[in-house]
């Protein structure tokens, strides 16, 4: 199933998550998008534990600035970001 997220920052956030996980050397990256109401979560996960500079480097600073919440997956092998609708984002 193909999903499309109508949020202006979604492409940049997805790209930064992907690049950070790709830099870890993981042979495959799984990108997922899940939505719930006005919220969307983008996740990039690989099979290699991310080093500090992959999980909190310059790309992740961009993700943190564009998303309402973001973090490292519990297994340390991926990153996620939550995007809210524009109206929710400005209220926070």
């Amino acid at each position: 199933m193909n999903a499309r997220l109508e949020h202006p920052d979604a492409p940049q956030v997805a790209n930064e998550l992907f690049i950070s996980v790709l830099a870890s050397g993981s042979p495959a990256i799984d990108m997922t998008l899940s939505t719930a109401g006005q919220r969307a979560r983008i996740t990039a996960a690989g099979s290699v534990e991310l080093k500090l500079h992959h999980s909190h480097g310059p790309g992740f600073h961009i993700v943190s600035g564009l998303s309402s919440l973001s973090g490292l997956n519990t297994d340390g092998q991926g990153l996620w970001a939550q995007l809210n609708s524009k109206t929710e984002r400005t209220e926070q």
Side-chain angles (χ1 to χ4, degrees), residues 19-77:
I19 294 297
S20 292
V21 176
L22 179 66
S24 74
S26 181
I29 300 169
D30 183 33
M31 297 289 297
T32 59
L33 170 64
S34 58
T35 59
Q38 298 296 317
R39 295 187 180 110
R41 183 173 171 141
I42 302 170
T43 305
S47 59
V48 176
E49 189 168 342
L50 301 175
K51 294 188 179 357
L52 186 60
H53 64 279
H54 296 135
S55 62
H56 290 84
F60 198 67
H61 292 293
I62 294 169
V63 169
S64 297
L66 295 176
S67 60
S68 56
L69 296 170
S70 57
L72 183 65
N73 290 2
T74 56
D75 64 4
Q77 297 178 350

